[in-house]
Amino acid sequence: MKGGFLFSGRFTIFNQLARTKQARQCRCGYSWHHLYKANFQINSSFNIIRRGCCITGEILSGNIAIGMRADLTAIGLTVRPIISDFGFLRNSESKTEDTGLVLFDLPAFEESYLKANAPFHTPIPIML
């Protein structure tokens, strides 16, 4: 039985489907590559009162618009919050400029996870 494994009477074939983070394929073979429009690397995060959680960082590729979703599964969270606003933040001490994305309807646990573990070296995809 080439390319498989026999376990409790069921034969599972492992070499037919790519199950990597980049492939994003389900068992039917459908690919979600056309939904990803940008990559964003998170440097820090903070809360804005009555507006949501803001993540700051840089856009590595693509374009970001209001209404797109930030796919946080790449950094270990299982949410895809909507981007409700964005802007530019200038740091006068280091003379750098970051992009800020305001995430709408992000649960409290995910906000605290972003604050505690930032910066992230893995870029997150931004999707439609």
Side-chain angles (χ1 to χ4, degrees), residues 4 9 20 37 40 67-68 70 103 115 122 128:
T20 63
K37 299 299 179 188
F40 186 80
M68 290 183 167
L103 303 177
K115 283 190 229 175
T122 305
L128 287 178

Side-chain angles (χ1 to χ4, degrees), residues 84-101:
S84 62
D85 199 7
F86 64 91
F88 298 101
L89 305 166
R90 181 172 290 155
N91 189 347
S92 60
E93 295 172 359
S94 62
K95 304 212 179 195
T96 59
E97 191 170 281
D98 281 344
T99 304
L101 303 177

